[in-house]
Structures are given as C-alpha cells and as structure tokens.
Amino acid sequence: MEQKLKLQVRHLNKIFEDTKGGEVVALRDVSLEVRESEFVMIVGPSGCGKTTLINVIGGLETASSGEVLLEGRPVEGPGADRGMVFQGYSLFPWLTVQKNVEFGLKMKKVSAAQRAKKAKEYIDLVGLTGFENALPRQLSGGMKQRVAIARTLANEPEVLLMDEPFGALDAQTRVVMQELLAKISRTTGTTILFITHDIDEAVLLGQRIYVMSRRPGTVREVVEVEIPGERDHNSLVLPEFLATKKRIMDMLWQESNDAAMDR
C-alpha cells in the first residue's frame, strides 16, 4: 500500500531584496513531496537555496509565492508539528542531557514523571544511556548532536527537518551518526527531510534525493535510491551506491561548471 502524502511543497518561489534595492531570486518554482515515514534528501551546489527552502518549510521564513502543505494544511509559521535540527547543537549549556531533552515537553506542560520517562526513552534511542546528568560542555560534538536529535524526537513532530546536522563533525563521527540516524528512522518511522552537501551522505540515508540546480535553485532531478539491505558503512562500496553517487556527482559537476561559465 502506498504511503500517504505527508509534506508537499508546491511551486515555491523566494525572492530577497539585495543591498542595492534590487532582487535576488533564491528559489524558483520548487516542488517536492515527502510521504509518511519516508527519508528524503536534498542536495545541490553551494548557494542554491537549500537552507532557505528548509527554513520556509519550517516556518522560519515566508515564501514569496507558492505553498507548503503538511498533511494538506498550509504552513503559516513555526509549529511543533515540524522539528528542526541544525548544524549547531543549540543546547542549553546550563541544563543536563536529561533536562535538555525534557525541555520541549516541559513547555507543553507534560507532567514531570511523564517527561522524565519519555526523555529517558529517547536518550536510550540515541545511545546516551549513562550520560543523563552530563552537561553539554562534557560531551563531544557527536554526543551533543545526539542530544539535539533526542530532544527534537521527544516532541514527536510529524516531520523532522535537518539542515546539514553532521556538517561540523569529523569524518569518522559523521559516519557513526549517519548509521545511528538510519537506525532511528527504521525504529521510529519518523518522516525526515534532510539537507546536505555531502553526496555520500545523501545516497547512504535517502530513499529519494532531490537534486537542485545552481541559483536560482529549482529541482533539477529526482533520484530514487535502490540499495539492498539496511544502510550502514558497508553500503558505501556497493555497486548500486557507487552508480547513484556518480549520477549525482555528474549533475552537480555540470551545475558548477555552468555556473563558472556564466561568470
């Protein structure tokens, strides 16, 4: 049975005013779909509007035209139905891991006992059992991002929006976090829209990849990812992985080359 449509972006345009009073078209006629429990990636050249797009979906910015629908409802601002994880961890440095994960639940007036129980479940899920009482300054970068993911998931958003969440991590930690997120996706069935500039990351995690053009950003192509078995570091050398990676690399190379020729 086909999964129901969770998130739709329809003919989205975003125009900014520049410092000279002119206009900069960041996004042009962007349309995409994410189905329930689907893991969808967005890749594209630097400056193509990926972050602008996810900020509009998250309600942090307003589109110039077009619309974003979550289960058919127009998105008109930030909301608890969309959880966001950024490259920066945005943890409260004075709160423990447990209290950071509980924070959103506390804002929702969830009882102390219930939020402690739920926070513990998600701390276990991200592999931080035993660190409940640690402060952020006592954690590595990868551990901080695990806390940020647990905090967001504890609020049980309908869609998890991730903007290059592993971009600041070293290569080895990044692969560990990718495998963890793939496992979380399988375990929870959370709907995820993930932005990255890393092609390996896009192919390893995504069921479907939207490849964007250079600015003004639009959807150049949609790539279905078909890699057998559960995704982990061993997937990186499979023929299906390498073929999909090359296809996307060629597209992005063409976009970068065209951009250079336009200058």
Side-chain angles (χ1 to χ4, degrees), residues 75-259:
V75 167
E76 297 176 341
D81 51 7
R82 284 147 291 139
M84 300 192 74
V85 179
F86 302 97
Q87 185 171 315
Y89 315 116
S90 303
L91 302 180
F92 298 109
W94 59 89
L95 295 181
T96 63
V97 167
Q98 178 81 24
K99 296 302 182 184
N100 262 289
V101 176
E102 286 185 19
F103 184 80
L105 300 171
K106 187 176 182 180
M107 294 298 99
K108 290 181 175 180
K109 310 295 185 186
V110 175
S111 71
Q114 278 296 106
R115 66 177 184 256
K117 179 182 177 183
K118 184 170 282 191
K120 182 68 166 61
E121 290 174 1
Y122 283 99
I123 289 169
D124 291 348
L125 181 66
V126 300
L128 286 178
T129 302
F131 289 89
E132 293 86 351
N133 296 317
L135 292 168
R137 61 181 170 79
Q138 298 172 301
L139 305 176
S140 67
M143 294 168 78
K144 289 176 185 176
Q145 197 59 290
R146 290 179 188 225
V147 178
I149 292 169
R151 180 180 61 185
T152 304
L153 289 174
N155 290 312
E156 297 182 345
E158 293 184 41
V159 177
L160 181 59
L161 305 173
M162 310 188 82
D163 186 5
E164 300 200 20
F166 308 145
L169 304 178
D170 64 83
Q172 187 173 349
T173 303
R174 185 168 186 149
V175 173
V176 170
M177 291 300 295
Q178 290 164 354
E179 291 189 351
L180 174 68
L181 187 59
K183 180 181 177 182
I184 289 171
S185 174
R186 293 192 300 269
T187 302
T188 65
T190 302
T191 305
I192 302 175
L193 182 62
F194 188 118
I195 283 180
T196 184
H197 66 273
D198 186 307
I199 300 173
D200 280 1
E201 185 167 74
V203 180
L204 180 65
L205 293 176
Q207 294 168 263
R208 209 147 36 84
I209 302 171
Y210 284 85
V211 182
M212 294 186 67
S213 71
R214 67 192 189 283
R215 196 172 68 190
T218 192
V219 176
R220 170 177 172 144
E221 192 163 335
V222 184
V223 178
E224 300 287 341
V225 182
E226 297 179 359
I227 296 175
E230 292 185 354
R231 311 279 180 88
D232 60 23
H233 64 279
N234 295 302
S235 305
L236 297 170
V237 295
L238 293 176
E240 297 89 344
F241 181 97
L242 295 173
T244 305
K245 176 181 177 179
K246 184 179 187 309
R247 180 179 170 191
I248 295 171
M249 284 180 64
D250 288 346
M251 280 187 258
L252 295 183
W253 180 89
Q254 188 65 57
E255 289 295 330
S256 298
N257 187 59
D258 291 348

